[in-house]
Amino acid sequence: MSWNIHRAHLIRCTSPWMKFCTKRFNSASSNSRQAFLETLEGQTGITCLSLNRPQSKNAISTTLLKELLESLETAQFDKSIRVLILRSTTEGSFCAGADLIERRSMSQVQVSRFLSDLRAAFGKLETLPMPTIAAIDGPALGGGLELGLACDLRVAGHSVTKIGLPETALGIIPGAGGTQRATRLIGLSKAKDLIFTARMLSAKEAFEWGLVDYLSSPESNAFERAVQLASQIGNNAPLALRAAKQAISRSEDLALEPGLDFERASYETLLSTQDRMEALVAFKEKRHPIFKGE
């Protein structure tokens, strides 16, 4: 085991499947928060948004949702984050959706507030300025899959067997973006199939359907594969990554010509940056550029 010190708190890395020790942003004790930010030791610019409710497979409680929003608000303005990985602290988990046990005790007003906050959180995740990756190492059901869909990219563990939107089997429909984000990702017909049947997909099937972008190898897991992907992304210029994400995201809302105008405007803002100058010098000197996000 190894220990790290960050903001006067000791964080111990105890999980055997974690190869990277982390340091926590939050000032709460190491086991008290249900969602928090951590930096990856030895991985410049990669931060994890960790879900930490192992007893319920990270089912989304009001507390987890509140702390998820707090973490997203912190990440939004942290320019040191080049890539954000959404993951579970527990092996074999991701997010099992809404906490149905807690839901049964909620009034209609509380349910409405919860859904509004859920929409706000997923929207904030989707619009974070840096690239985001969901590391799906266990069931991603209902709101759990919708959480993953709000990320830019999704990596699934090779052995994961439960990925889906089962709400119609529970008398409701996906209520946190599933009907909209899944349709934009995999198309109208497949989204209808997934939701109408309430089917559970394996990781391999989800990959074939286009719900996830990468699969881990059998001897690895989604988080480790996500770190590899994040490292590959994070080697590039941070300002360029943020501009590229913004331009790509706007493509769904704009007609081609306005979209090209937006792309051009985004491109031109980068021409005078120090990172652009560094890239040109590094190319001339035949070395890898050292980007600083400036």
Side-chain angles (χ1 to χ4, degrees):
M1 297 180 186
S2 57
W3 295 80
N4 291 295
I5 300 177
H6 189 66
R7 294 191 182 178
H9 286 273
L10 295 175
I11 308 300
R12 183 172 60 177
C13 297
T14 57
S15 177
W17 68 294
M18 285 287 294
K19 291 184 177 180
F20 308 96
C21 203
T22 56
K23 295 190 291 186
R24 184 174 304 235
F25 279 35
N26 306 86
S27 59
S29 65
S30 62
N31 295 318
S32 64
R33 292 184 63 89
Q34 296 183 14
F36 55 85
L37 293 169
E38 297 178 297
T39 57
L40 283 186
E41 191 74 16
Q43 299 286 327
T44 302
I46 301 177
T47 293
C48 294
L49 202 176
S50 300
L51 305 179
N52 185 41
R53 200 169 177 239
Q55 71 277 12
S56 62
K57 297 186 183 297
N58 298 318
I60 304 172
S61 64
T62 53
T63 299
L64 189 149
L65 180 55
K66 174 179 176 290
E67 293 175 357
L68 177 65
L69 266 168
E70 291 171 354
S71 296
L72 290 169
E73 288 169 358
T74 298
Q76 181 179 2
F77 299 103
D78 190 337
K79 294 183 179 180
S80 72
I81 302 177
R82 299 188 181 188
V83 186
L84 184 75
I85 300 175
L86 178 67
R87 62 110 184 186
S88 170
T89 60
T90 307
E91 184 175 4
S93 291
F94 179 64
C95 179
D99 186 337
L100 298 182
I101 295 175
E102 182 183 67
R103 178 70 63 85
R104 286 199 296 266
S105 66
M106 295 168 68
S107 68
Q108 185 58 50
V109 171
Q110 289 173 322
V111 171
S112 295
R113 175 62 182 272
F114 180 85
L115 292 175
S116 178
D117 289 346
L118 198 62
R119 177 174 176 174
F122 289 8
K124 188 173 290 291
L125 173 59
E126 185 174 43
T127 58
L128 283 177
M130 72 290 292
T132 57
I133 304 170
I136 302 173
D137 265 310
L141 301 174
L145 178 55
E146 290 171 309
L147 179 63
L149 292 174
C151 292
D152 296 313
L153 298 168
R154 285 150 297 282
V155 180
H158 187 271
S159 62
V160 175
T161 58
K162 293 181 179 180
I163 299 174
L165 297 169
E167 283 88 347
T168 55
L170 298 171
I172 53 175
I173 67 170
T179 64
Q180 303 303 304
R181 293 189 178 98
T183 303
R184 286 165 169 76
L185 185 65
I186 62 177
L188 193 68
S189 181
K190 285 184 177 178
K192 287 180 176 179
D193 189 335
L194 183 68
I195 294 169
F196 290 172
T197 62
R199 70 170 76 232
M200 296 290 103
L201 301 178
S202 67
K204 184 175 183 295
E205 290 170 330
F207 176 75
E208 292 169 349
W209 279 51
L211 274 175
V212 302
D213 304 288
Y214 295 87
L215 294 178
S216 74
S217 62
E219 61 275 6
S220 183
N221 57 53
F223 178 66
E224 291 173 354
R225 183 64 183 90
V227 171
Q228 293 174 0
L229 178 61
S231 180
Q232 184 179 2
I233 294 171
N235 285 333
N236 299 310
L239 296 178
L241 288 172
R242 291 178 176 227
K245 176 172 178 174
Q246 187 177 41
I248 294 167
S249 297
R250 288 298 302 276
S251 68
E252 291 185 338
D253 305 323
L254 298 174
L256 180 59
E257 285 302 318
L260 292 172
D261 290 339
F262 188 84
E263 178 186 77
R264 178 64 179 271
S266 300
Y267 179 94
E268 289 181 348
T269 62
L270 300 170
L271 293 177
S272 60
T273 63
Q274 293 184 31
D275 281 351
R276 170 61 173 166
M277 298 301 105
E278 164 65 11
L280 293 176
V281 171
F283 180 80
K284 181 179 179 180
E285 297 176 352
K286 297 182 179 180
R287 60 174 174 82
H288 292 294
I290 301 173
F291 295 122
K292 297 181 179 179
E294 301 174 351

